[in-house]
Amino acid sequence: MTPAAHAVEIRNLHKHFGKLEVLKGIDFAVDPGQVVCVIGPSGSGKSTLLRCVNLLEQPTSGRVVLEGVELTDPDVDIDAARRRVGMVFQQFNLFPHMTVLQNVVIAQRRVLGRSAAEARRIARENLEKVGVAAKADAYPAQLSGGQQQRVAIARALAMNPALMLFDEPTSALDPELVGDVLTVMRKLAEEGMTMLVVTHEMAFARDVADRVVFMDGGVIVEDGPAAQVIGAPRHERTKSFLRRVL
Ligand code: ADP
Ligand code: MG
């Protein structure tokens, strides 16, 4: 393991599904404490990129280096590396038959081997942080979508990730519930969490992201400071995408 300048580094990443080439040579890095937002049209490969970062998808070629550990190296302990990455999906993926507290406890017990008491303590701390501690004993179905998504964030945080991936975390929410989730994400960013966020929330990207990456057709078209990519895009494809979403 080499000293990690980057939290995650992606080099010449390609991903094919059969004949379909979805990622066509992606290069970028996220530094510790940075927030990078990925924007782009539907089908451009954003989710696939995130899924390659925590090896939910196996890249066809290229390198994914997490904290100096090359995930694409066959000798690497993938489970150990994957544990360093938290992921929050559009669909919250909570276990419906478990309480909120149990949802946040279970992976800590099974994956990290924490004691029941410690896992519960850490679960409560993180539920507090995302503002749903009062719902600890409720079941997911008794919560609003925004509350469920915040539980999913607490569950990921309880694993002490080095990097948090968010794939359109507010896209499935009713509009009035989006703000609470973005507020939690903003707080995480301010606390220095390293975050890679696929989002259509341009105001969030502009205000919170250190960098914005615009993807189209499996390539990065533009990567730069949020104010520049969103405020003064250089490429016609970025401009035309932003005209449609802003
Ligand atoms: P985005 O998140 O930007 O909307 P995706 O990464 O989900 O884009 O998808 C990019 C392309 O890859 C789409 O054409 C999609 O249909 C295709 N794709 C995604 N996952 C699979 C899969 N498991 N098998 C085949 N094609 C897939
Ligand atoms: Mg997607």
Side-chain angles (χ1 to χ4, degrees):
M1 182 167 160
T2 49
H6 301 299
V8 64
E9 184 182 358
I10 291 160
R11 290 298 163 227
N12 201 19
L13 181 68
H14 290 256
K15 176 65 184 175
H16 295 251
F17 290 111
K19 284 191 176 139
L20 181 68
E21 189 177 23
V22 172
L23 299 177
K24 304 175 182 170
I26 299 283
D27 286 281
F28 77 99
V30 184
D31 290 338
Q34 265 192 338
V35 177
V36 175
C37 284
V38 180
I39 62 172
S42 179
S44 56
K46 305 180 300 295
S47 293
T48 304
L49 172 61
L50 248 54
R51 293 168 63 80
C52 283
V53 172
N54 65 355
L55 297 191
L56 286 174
E57 297 288 356
Q58 182 66 41
T60 305
S61 65
R63 304 191 329 135
V64 178
V65 183
L66 183 72
E67 297 186 298
V69 176
E70 170 146 11
L71 299 188
T72 27
D73 176 341
D75 294 332
V76 120
D77 179 350
I78 288 301
D79 291 332
R82 209 182 255 147
R83 251 174 251 157
R84 303 289 296 151
V85 182
M87 181 134 181
V88 174
F89 302 88
Q90 183 174 332
Q91 302 300 339
F92 330 118
N93 299 340
L94 299 178
F95 295 116
H97 59 290
M98 290 183 188
T99 66
V100 161
L101 189 73
Q102 287 166 341
N103 265 279
V104 183
V105 159
I106 185 157
Q108 297 186 64
R109 300 272 291 138
R110 293 209 177 147
V111 179
L112 301 182
R114 286 180 183 153
S115 71
E118 190 187 16
R120 276 201 297 270
R121 178 180 63 74
I122 293 169
R124 287 191 194 280
E125 269 171 26
N126 283 290
L127 289 170
E128 190 78 47
K129 179 176 213 166
V130 301
V132 287
K135 298 287 183 184
D137 298 320
Y139 285 86
Q142 299 170 301
L143 271 56
S144 74
Q147 290 170 331
Q148 289 184 57
Q149 189 60 301
R150 285 182 282 146
V151 173
I153 293 172
R155 177 178 59 179
L157 292 175
M159 304 297 282
N160 299 116
L163 170 70
M164 285 282 286
L165 307 176
F166 293 85
D167 193 357
E168 300 196 29
T170 60
S171 294
L173 300 178
D174 291 334
E176 75 272 20
L177 303 178
V178 168
D180 289 342
V181 172
L182 292 180
T183 299
V184 165
M185 291 171 63
R186 199 179 281 261
K187 191 163 93 179
L188 286 182
E190 283 164 4
E191 288 174 1
M193 176 60 73
T194 311
M195 297 163 59
L196 183 57
V197 184
V198 175
T199 187
H200 295 296
E201 295 291 335
M202 292 302 143
F204 176 86
R206 194 169 40 211
D207 296 348
V208 179
D210 296 293
R211 271 176 31 240
V212 170
V213 170
F214 172 67
M215 277 182 74
D216 193 14
V219 300
I220 291 177
V221 175
E222 199 154 344
D223 175 350
Q228 184 239 296
V229 175
I230 296 176
R234 291 181 180 155
H235 293 263
E236 192 47 50
R237 283 152 86 185
T238 319
K239 289 179 194 169
S240 99
F241 172 75
L242 288 169
R243 272 197 296 273
R244 281 180 274 130
V245 299
L246 283 179

